[in-house]
PDB file of all heavy atoms in Angstrom:
ATOM      1  N   ASP U 662     114.191 -23.273  84.987  1.00  0.00           N
ATOM      2  CA  ASP U 662     115.160 -22.733  85.934  1.00  0.00           C
ATOM      3  C   ASP U 662     115.189 -23.586  87.190  1.00  0.00           C
ATOM      4  O   ASP U 662     114.212 -24.234  87.546  1.00  0.00           O
ATOM      5  CB  ASP U 662     114.779 -21.303  86.337  1.00  0.00           C
ATOM      6  CG  ASP U 662     114.972 -20.318  85.211  1.00  0.00           C
ATOM      7  OD1 ASP U 662     115.804 -20.593  84.330  1.00  0.00           O
ATOM      8  OD2 ASP U 662     114.299 -19.272  85.217  1.00  0.00           O
ATOM      9  N   GLU U 663     116.305 -23.553  87.847  1.00  0.00           N
ATOM     10  CA  GLU U 663     116.403 -24.169  89.155  1.00  0.00           C
ATOM     11  C   GLU U 663     115.553 -23.342  90.109  1.00  0.00           C
ATOM     12  O   GLU U 663     115.332 -22.155  89.890  1.00  0.00           O
ATOM     13  CB  GLU U 663     117.867 -24.116  89.611  1.00  0.00           C
ATOM     14  CG  GLU U 663     118.408 -25.436  90.058  1.00  0.00           C
ATOM     15  CD  GLU U 663     119.858 -25.303  90.465  1.00  0.00           C
ATOM     16  OE1 GLU U 663     120.107 -24.849  91.602  1.00  0.00           O
ATOM     17  OE2 GLU U 663     120.696 -25.657  89.656  1.00  0.00           O
ATOM     18  N   ASP U 664     115.088 -23.951  91.175  1.00  0.00           N
ATOM     19  CA  ASP U 664     114.231 -23.231  92.124  1.00  0.00           C
ATOM     20  C   ASP U 664     114.911 -21.983  92.671  1.00  0.00           C
ATOM     21  O   ASP U 664     114.289 -20.928  92.782  1.00  0.00           O
ATOM     22  CB  ASP U 664     113.823 -24.144  93.278  1.00  0.00           C
ATOM     23  CG  ASP U 664     112.810 -25.188  92.852  1.00  0.00           C
ATOM     24  OD1 ASP U 664     112.182 -25.002  91.783  1.00  0.00           O
ATOM     25  OD2 ASP U 664     112.655 -26.185  93.567  1.00  0.00           O
ATOM     26  N   THR U 665     116.191 -22.095  93.003  1.00  0.00           N
ATOM     27  CA  THR U 665     116.888 -20.940  93.570  1.00  0.00           C
ATOM     28  C   THR U 665     117.039 -19.832  92.539  1.00  0.00           C
ATOM     29  O   THR U 665     116.880 -18.660  92.869  1.00  0.00           O
ATOM     30  CB  THR U 665     118.276 -21.339  94.099  1.00  0.00           C
ATOM     31  OG1 THR U 665     118.999 -21.986  93.058  1.00  0.00           O
ATOM     32  CG2 THR U 665     118.167 -22.250  95.289  1.00  0.00           C
ATOM     33  N   ASP U 666     117.315 -20.198  91.280  1.00  0.00           N
ATOM     34  CA  ASP U 666     117.431 -19.177  90.226  1.00  0.00           C
ATOM     35  C   ASP U 666     116.098 -18.477  90.008  1.00  0.00           C
ATOM     36  O   ASP U 666     116.034 -17.257  89.849  1.00  0.00           O
ATOM     37  CB  ASP U 666     117.913 -19.806  88.921  1.00  0.00           C
ATOM     38  CG  ASP U 666     119.337 -20.312  89.003  1.00  0.00           C
ATOM     39  OD1 ASP U 666     120.076 -19.845  89.894  1.00  0.00           O
ATOM     40  OD2 ASP U 666     119.700 -21.174  88.182  1.00  0.00           O
ATOM     41  N   HIS U 667     115.020 -19.261  89.993  1.00  0.00           N
ATOM     42  CA  HIS U 667     113.686 -18.682  89.798  1.00  0.00           C
ATOM     43  C   HIS U 667     113.340 -17.753  90.958  1.00  0.00           C
ATOM     44  O   HIS U 667     112.804 -16.661  90.745  1.00  0.00           O
ATOM     45  CB  HIS U 667     112.648 -19.799  89.682  1.00  0.00           C
ATOM     46  CG  HIS U 667     111.251 -19.293  89.553  1.00  0.00           C
ATOM     47  ND1 HIS U 667     110.796 -18.674  88.409  1.00  0.00           N
ATOM     48  CD2 HIS U 667     110.220 -19.289  90.429  1.00  0.00           C
ATOM     49  CE1 HIS U 667     109.536 -18.320  88.591  1.00  0.00           C
ATOM     50  NE2 HIS U 667     109.170 -18.685  89.798  1.00  0.00           N
ATOM     51  N   ALA U 668     113.657 -18.167  92.175  1.00  0.00           N
ATOM     52  CA  ALA U 668     113.361 -17.341  93.340  1.00  0.00           C
ATOM     53  C   ALA U 668     114.129 -16.023  93.280  1.00  0.00           C
ATOM     54  O   ALA U 668     113.580 -14.960  93.580  1.00  0.00           O
ATOM     55  CB  ALA U 668     113.700 -18.096  94.624  1.00  0.00           C
ATOM     56  N   LYS U 669     115.382 -16.077  92.867  1.00  0.00           N
ATOM     57  CA  LYS U 669     116.172 -14.843  92.755  1.00  0.00           C
ATOM     58  C   LYS U 669     115.604 -13.926  91.687  1.00  0.00           C
ATOM     59  O   LYS U 669     115.561 -12.703  91.856  1.00  0.00           O
ATOM     60  CB  LYS U 669     117.628 -15.180  92.454  1.00  0.00           C
ATOM     61  CG  LYS U 669     118.332 -15.803  93.637  1.00  0.00           C
ATOM     62  CD  LYS U 669     119.738 -16.240  93.281  1.00  0.00           C
ATOM     63  CE  LYS U 669     120.394 -16.974  94.427  1.00  0.00           C
ATOM     64  NZ  LYS U 669     121.713 -17.496  94.058  1.00  0.00           N
ATOM     65  N   LEU U 670     115.158 -14.505  90.579  1.00  0.00           N
ATOM     66  CA  LEU U 670     114.528 -13.712  89.516  1.00  0.00           C
ATOM     67  C   LEU U 670     113.267 -13.034  90.048  1.00  0.00           C
ATOM     68  O   LEU U 670     113.044 -11.847  89.820  1.00  0.00           O
ATOM     69  CB  LEU U 670     114.192 -14.599  88.324  1.00  0.00           C
ATOM     70  CG  LEU U 670     113.374 -13.948  87.219  1.00  0.00           C
ATOM     71  CD1 LEU U 670     114.212 -12.897  86.498  1.00  0.00           C
ATOM     72  CD2 LEU U 670     112.879 -14.998  86.240  1.00  0.00           C
ATOM     73  N   GLN U 671     112.442 -13.782  90.772  1.00  0.00           N
ATOM     74  CA  GLN U 671     111.213 -13.224  91.317  1.00  0.00           C
ATOM     75  C   GLN U 671     111.520 -12.118  92.326  1.00  0.00           C
ATOM     76  O   GLN U 671     110.818 -11.099  92.356  1.00  0.00           O
ATOM     77  CB  GLN U 671     110.365 -14.314  91.974  1.00  0.00           C
ATOM     78  CG  GLN U 671     109.828 -15.336  91.002  1.00  0.00           C
ATOM     79  CD  GLN U 671     108.948 -14.700  89.943  1.00  0.00           C
ATOM     80  OE1 GLN U 671     109.427 -14.197  88.940  1.00  0.00           O
ATOM     81  NE2 GLN U 671     107.663 -14.721  90.167  1.00  0.00           N
ATOM     82  N   LEU U 672     112.547 -12.297  93.138  1.00  0.00           N
ATOM     83  CA  LEU U 672     112.925 -11.253  94.090  1.00  0.00           C
ATOM     84  C   LEU U 672     113.314  -9.975  93.363  1.00  0.00           C
ATOM     85  O   LEU U 672     112.932  -8.876  93.784  1.00  0.00           O
ATOM     86  CB  LEU U 672     114.065 -11.741  94.982  1.00  0.00           C
ATOM     87  CG  LEU U 672     113.692 -12.788  96.020  1.00  0.00           C
ATOM     88  CD1 LEU U 672     114.942 -13.329  96.698  1.00  0.00           C
ATOM     89  CD2 LEU U 672     112.742 -12.220  97.056  1.00  0.00           C
ATOM     90  N   ASP U 673     114.070 -10.108  92.284  1.00  0.00           N
ATOM     91  CA  ASP U 673     114.452  -8.929  91.499  1.00  0.00           C
ATOM     92  C   ASP U 673     113.235  -8.251  90.890  1.00  0.00           C
ATOM     93  O   ASP U 673     113.167  -7.024  90.805  1.00  0.00           O
ATOM     94  CB  ASP U 673     115.435  -9.315  90.400  1.00  0.00           C
ATOM     95  CG  ASP U 673     116.832  -9.558  90.926  1.00  0.00           C
ATOM     96  OD1 ASP U 673     117.121  -9.113  92.052  1.00  0.00           O
ATOM     97  OD2 ASP U 673     117.629 -10.191  90.211  1.00  0.00           O
ATOM     98  N   ARG U 674     112.268  -9.043  90.461  1.00  0.00           N
ATOM     99  CA  ARG U 674     111.069  -8.480  89.846  1.00  0.00           C
ATOM    100  C   ARG U 674     110.180  -7.794  90.882  1.00  0.00           C
ATOM    101  O   ARG U 674     109.450  -6.856  90.558  1.00  0.00           O
ATOM    102  CB  ARG U 674     110.287  -9.575  89.127  1.00  0.00           C
ATOM    103  CG  ARG U 674     111.029 -10.102  87.914  1.00  0.00           C
ATOM    104  CD  ARG U 674     110.332 -11.267  87.302  1.00  0.00           C
ATOM    105  NE  ARG U 674     109.081 -10.864  86.685  1.00  0.00           N
ATOM    106  CZ  ARG U 674     108.124 -11.702  86.326  1.00  0.00           C
ATOM    107  NH1 ARG U 674     108.265 -12.989  86.527  1.00  0.00           N
ATOM    108  NH2 ARG U 674     107.029 -11.261  85.764  1.00  0.00           N
ATOM    109  N   LEU U 675     110.207  -8.250  92.128  1.00  0.00           N
ATOM    110  CA  LEU U 675     109.348  -7.685  93.163  1.00  0.00           C
ATOM    111  C   LEU U 675     109.906  -6.399  93.786  1.00  0.00           C
ATOM    112  O   LEU U 675     109.163  -5.636  94.399  1.00  0.00           O
ATOM    113  CB  LEU U 675     109.105  -8.718  94.264  1.00  0.00           C
ATOM    114  CG  LEU U 675     108.156  -9.856  93.904  1.00  0.00           C
ATOM    115  CD1 LEU U 675     108.191 -10.937  94.972  1.00  0.00           C
ATOM    116  CD2 LEU U 675     106.742  -9.340  93.718  1.00  0.00           C
ATOM    117  N   ARG U 676     111.198  -6.156  93.630  1.00  0.00           N
ATOM    118  CA  ARG U 676     111.801  -4.983  94.264  1.00  0.00           C
ATOM    119  C   ARG U 676     111.156  -3.667  93.839  1.00  0.00           C
ATOM    120  O   ARG U 676     110.870  -2.824  94.701  1.00  0.00           O
ATOM    121  CB  ARG U 676     113.302  -4.964  93.997  1.00  0.00           C
ATOM    122  CG  ARG U 676     114.040  -5.911  94.902  1.00  0.00           C
ATOM    123  CD  ARG U 676     115.552  -5.684  94.874  1.00  0.00           C
ATOM    124  NE  ARG U 676     116.178  -6.682  95.711  1.00  0.00           N
ATOM    125  CZ  ARG U 676     116.790  -7.770  95.251  1.00  0.00           C
ATOM    126  NH1 ARG U 676     116.896  -7.968  93.964  1.00  0.00           N
ATOM    127  NH2 ARG U 676     117.326  -8.644  96.087  1.00  0.00           N
ATOM    128  N   PRO U 677     110.897  -3.424  92.541  1.00  0.00           N
ATOM    129  CA  PRO U 677     110.242  -2.152  92.182  1.00  0.00           C
ATOM    130  C   PRO U 677     108.847  -2.010  92.801  1.00  0.00           C
ATOM    131  O   PRO U 677     108.480  -0.924  93.257  1.00  0.00           O
ATOM    132  CB  PRO U 677     110.159  -2.208  90.654  1.00  0.00           C
ATOM    133  CG  PRO U 677     111.201  -3.184  90.240  1.00  0.00           C
ATOM    134  CD  PRO U 677     111.309  -4.172  91.353  1.00  0.00           C
ATOM    135  N   ALA U 678     108.085  -3.102  92.851  1.00  0.00           N
ATOM    136  CA  ALA U 678     106.755  -3.047  93.460  1.00  0.00           C
ATOM    137  C   ALA U 678     106.869  -2.723  94.939  1.00  0.00           C
ATOM    138  O   ALA U 678     106.051  -1.964  95.494  1.00  0.00           O
ATOM    139  CB  ALA U 678     106.028  -4.369  93.252  1.00  0.00           C
ATOM    140  N   MET U 679     107.879  -3.264  95.575  1.00  0.00           N
ATOM    141  CA  MET U 679     108.105  -3.002  96.998  1.00  0.00           C
ATOM    142  C   MET U 679     108.398  -1.522  97.220  1.00  0.00           C
ATOM    143  O   MET U 679     107.855  -0.904  98.143  1.00  0.00           O
ATOM    144  CB  MET U 679     109.276  -3.868  97.480  1.00  0.00           C
ATOM    145  CG  MET U 679     109.713  -3.614  98.872  1.00  0.00           C
ATOM    146  SD  MET U 679     108.517  -4.282 100.001  1.00  0.00           S
ATOM    147  CE  MET U 679     109.408  -4.112 101.502  1.00  0.00           C
ATOM    148  N   ARG U 680     109.244  -0.950  96.361  1.00  0.00           N
ATOM    149  CA  ARG U 680     109.578   0.477  96.505  1.00  0.00           C
ATOM    150  C   ARG U 680     108.341   1.356  96.325  1.00  0.00           C
ATOM    151  O   ARG U 680     108.114   2.294  97.091  1.00  0.00           O
ATOM    152  CB  ARG U 680     110.654   0.864  95.497  1.00  0.00           C
ATOM    153  CG  ARG U 680     112.047   0.480  95.913  1.00  0.00           C
ATOM    154  CD  ARG U 680     113.080   1.142  95.026  1.00  0.00           C
ATOM    155  NE  ARG U 680     113.075   0.547  93.698  1.00  0.00           N
ATOM    156  CZ  ARG U 680     113.901  -0.402  93.291  1.00  0.00           C
ATOM    157  NH1 ARG U 680     114.817  -0.837  94.096  1.00  0.00           N
ATOM    158  NH2 ARG U 680     113.841  -0.890  92.081  1.00  0.00           N
ATOM    159  N   VAL U 681     107.536   1.062  95.305  1.00  0.00           N
ATOM    160  CA  VAL U 681     106.348   1.876  95.025  1.00  0.00           C
ATOM    161  C   VAL U 681     105.345   1.771  96.166  1.00  0.00           C
ATOM    162  O   VAL U 681     104.809   2.784  96.645  1.00  0.00           O
ATOM    163  CB  VAL U 681     105.706   1.440  93.684  1.00  0.00           C
ATOM    164  CG1 VAL U 681     104.352   2.095  93.490  1.00  0.00           C
ATOM    165  CG2 VAL U 681     106.622   1.780  92.528  1.00  0.00           C
ATOM    166  N   ALA U 682     105.087   0.539  96.611  1.00  0.00           N
ATOM    167  CA  ALA U 682     104.118   0.341  97.686  1.00  0.00           C
ATOM    168  C   ALA U 682     104.597   0.989  98.986  1.00  0.00           C
ATOM    169  O   ALA U 682     103.806   1.617  99.707  1.00  0.00           O
ATOM    170  CB  ALA U 682     103.858  -1.149  97.888  1.00  0.00           C
ATOM    171  N   THR U 683     105.875   0.864  99.290  1.00  0.00           N
ATOM    172  CA  THR U 683     106.420   1.469 100.505  1.00  0.00           C
ATOM    173  C   THR U 683     106.319   2.984 100.446  1.00  0.00           C
ATOM    174  O   THR U 683     105.927   3.629 101.442  1.00  0.00           O
ATOM    175  CB  THR U 683     107.898   1.044 100.693  1.00  0.00           C
ATOM    176  OG1 THR U 683     107.956  -0.377 100.743  1.00  0.00           O
ATOM    177  CG2 THR U 683     108.470   1.616 101.975  1.00  0.00           C
ATOM    178  N   ALA U 684     106.649   3.565  99.302  1.00  0.00           N
ATOM    179  CA  ALA U 684     106.566   5.020  99.157  1.00  0.00           C
ATOM    180  C   ALA U 684     105.125   5.501  99.323  1.00  0.00           C
ATOM    181  O   ALA U 684     104.876   6.533  99.971  1.00  0.00           O
ATOM    182  CB  ALA U 684     107.110   5.443  97.793  1.00  0.00           C
ATOM    183  N   ALA U 685     104.176   4.750  98.780  1.00  0.00           N
ATOM    184  CA  ALA U 685     102.771   5.146  98.893  1.00  0.00           C
ATOM    185  C   ALA U 685     102.303   5.083 100.346  1.00  0.00           C
ATOM    186  O   ALA U 685     101.582   5.978 100.817  1.00  0.00           O
ATOM    187  CB  ALA U 685     101.899   4.244  98.022  1.00  0.00           C
ATOM    188  N   VAL U 686     102.715   4.051 101.072  1.00  0.00           N
ATOM    189  CA  VAL U 686     102.328   3.941 102.477  1.00  0.00           C
ATOM    190  C   VAL U 686     102.977   5.051 103.287  1.00  0.00           C
ATOM    191  O   VAL U 686     102.344   5.648 104.170  1.00  0.00           O
ATOM    192  CB  VAL U 686     102.698   2.546 103.045  1.00  0.00           C
ATOM    193  CG1 VAL U 686     102.551   2.509 104.551  1.00  0.00           C
ATOM    194  CG2 VAL U 686     101.838   1.481 102.400  1.00  0.00           C
ATOM    195  N   GLU U 687     104.233   5.375 102.986  1.00  0.00           N
ATOM    196  CA  GLU U 687     104.926   6.452 103.705  1.00  0.00           C
ATOM    197  C   GLU U 687     104.248   7.792 103.475  1.00  0.00           C
ATOM    198  O   GLU U 687     104.258   8.660 104.354  1.00  0.00           O
ATOM    199  CB  GLU U 687     106.385   6.522 103.264  1.00  0.00           C
ATOM    200  CG  GLU U 687     107.241   5.408 103.830  1.00  0.00           C
ATOM    201  CD  GLU U 687     108.658   5.414 103.281  1.00  0.00           C
ATOM    202  OE1 GLU U 687     108.960   6.223 102.370  1.00  0.00           O
ATOM    203  OE2 GLU U 687     109.468   4.601 103.757  1.00  0.00           O
TER     204      GLU U 687
END
Side-chain angles (χ1 to χ4, degrees):
D662 290 335
E663 231 179 80
D664 288 342
T665 54
D666 293 339
H667 177 71
K669 289 175 185 175
L670 172 69
Q671 294 300 84
L672 288 172
D673 284 342
R674 292 174 69 195
L675 286 170
R676 281 193 183 102
M679 174 73 170
R680 280 192 289 263
V681 170
T683 302
V686 169
E687 285 175 354

